[in-house]
Amino acid sequence: MSLWIAIAAVAAGSFLIKGIGPAALGERELPKWSTGILALLAPTLLAALVVVEVLGRRWADFDATVLAGLAAAVAAYLLRAPMLLAVVAGVVTTALLRLALG
Amino acid sequence: MQAEPSPRRRFLDGVRVGTGLAAASFVLALTFGAAAQEQGWSVPATIVASVVIFSGSAQFALLAALAGGGATLPAIAAALLINGRFLPMGLALGPSLTGGRMRRALQGQAVVDASFVAAHTGHGRFDRYRLFGATVPQWPAWVAGTAIGAFAAPPGDLVHDLGLDVAFPAFFVLLLIGELRSARSGYLSAAVGAGVAALLLWWAPAGVALLAATVGALLGLRARPLSETSDQS
């Protein structure tokens, strides 16, 4: 039951988050002080999210083959591979390493 | 100035871009469907989550935060904080939309990360027809991928052997690189956020670690003189 509540709450919250900017602001521009902080939100969250996903609770999910896969994806992306291809490079790298390491 | 392409042409341009993105969404959705099954979500709940939330990052955050009996409220907060990035996106997009408040709010629902980028025409202006076109193929791909992942419920071993668990963090690392390219002042807050999250994970559930790391990093940076953080923007 609490799962359904969580799903509904996140859906409703996301609707509000996506809608409130266009609805409230309209044609006006943002105050300058807020844009600096808002601009930091995305990179901070993304970095924390990746860490949480890769390490897991008590770092129990830590897996060197995942780090190698992420490194491969980043390398491919920096070499101007499209995003999807870079992700595939990461997935394949991790799969091959796991195969090789048994 | 050249004559502007018709709305129909711009929409179809968006659909073309969105079809490639839909392929990526589909793979990511497969892993979400499979991962949710592994954590004991019911098939209907898994699919409905993709239908109504339609946000990979928020859904994975919810999944991660609820894992191992995590509390509901911090999990909701973590997922919504993740989607908090759509707030500045919506603010940036606002002037490019049309109509009354409700209409604008509804148009704002079309914002997903990749569509937002695809719709950017430069100088902070956005083409709403490209935005809608890019999002249209992604939603069915996201829902279909989730459903197949949930029904097929590939065993965790298979997902692990194929390295599919890397797809989600890899997408986010690449999104992070994109963010840092456009806002260099993000390096410090990203590093602080990552470090605090890594530390907190030792004691706290994922949702709490995520929340505290983000809020902590932002508050810490807020306390610095504004000139230091806003110079680059």
Side-chain angles (χ1 to χ4, degrees):
Chain A
M1 192 59 211
S2 61
L3 174 60
W4 285 102
I5 293 170
I7 290 170
V10 172
S14 296
F15 184 92
L16 281 179
I17 289 168
K18 284 185 176 183
I20 203 162
L25 200 69
E27 306 277 345
R28 282 168 293 160
E29 298 292 325
L30 283 172
K32 207 171 160 66
W33 63 265
S34 64
T35 50
I37 297 297
L38 288 175
L40 294 176
L41 185 64
T44 309
L45 266 170
L46 285 169
L49 185 66
V50 169
V51 165
V52 166
E53 185 64 19
V54 169
L55 289 182
R57 184 86 198 269
R58 286 199 169 263
W59 301 14
D61 296 343
F62 179 78
D63 178 347
T65 64
V66 169
L67 286 192
L70 290 180
V74 169
Y77 191 61
L78 292 179
L79 292 171
R80 303 191 172 278
M83 206 178 222
L84 182 57
L85 196 66
V87 171
V88 170
V91 167
V92 169
T93 301
T94 298
L96 288 178
L97 275 175
R98 284 176 181 165
L99 189 67
L101 300 172
Chain B
M1 273 258 341
Q2 295 178 334
E4 199 174 51
S6 68
R8 184 185 147 81
R9 162 82 14 225
R10 282 141 65 196
F11 180 83
L12 290 177
D13 268 356
V15 170
R16 198 169 40 74
V17 178
T19 306
L21 301 169
S25 299
F26 182 80
V27 174
L28 201 61
L30 273 179
T31 67
F32 172 75
Q37 293 313 292
E38 241 187 289
Q39 289 194 16
W41 288 28
S42 69
V43 171
T46 308
I47 297 172
V48 167
S50 280
V51 170
V52 299
I53 301 176
F54 182 39
S55 164
S57 49
Q59 288 172 234
F60 274 106
L62 190 61
L63 196 61
L66 286 174
T72 307
L73 269 183
I76 294 171
L80 287 179
L81 247 193
I82 292 287
N83 269 4
R85 71 185 185 285
F86 290 124
L87 187 66
M89 287 188 198
L91 291 170
L93 191 72
S96 305
L97 301 177
T98 53
R101 286 174 192 278
M102 195 57 201
R103 204 177 145 88
R104 282 170 187 270
L106 286 175
Q107 291 182 358
Q109 302 306 312
V111 176
V112 292
D113 297 299
S115 301
F116 181 76
V117 176
H120 193 209
T121 55
H123 309 295
R125 295 299 297 184
F126 295 85
D127 184 330
R128 65 184 188 281
Y129 291 104
R130 276 180 71 90
L131 175 78
F132 302 151
T135 298
V136 159
Q138 291 184 71
W139 186 77
W142 180 247
V143 173
T146 304
I148 293 172
F151 276 118
D157 282 358
L158 187 64
V159 171
H160 182 265
D161 288 349
L162 293 177
L164 290 177
D165 52 323
V166 174
F168 166 64
F171 263 108
F172 279 86
V173 168
L174 301 187
L175 281 177
L176 175 62
I177 293 174
E179 282 289 335
L180 293 178
R181 273 180 184 161
S182 61
R184 294 190 169 273
S185 55
Y187 277 106
L188 182 62
S189 66
V192 173
V196 174
L199 266 177
L200 281 179
L201 273 175
W202 200 259
W203 297 283
V208 174
L210 211 48
L211 259 170
T214 306
V215 174
L218 291 178
L219 287 181
L221 291 165
R222 184 77 179 85
R224 297 182 340 140
L226 257 183
S227 57
E228 280 184 54
T229 49
S230 57
D231 270 355
Q232 305 282 345
S233 54

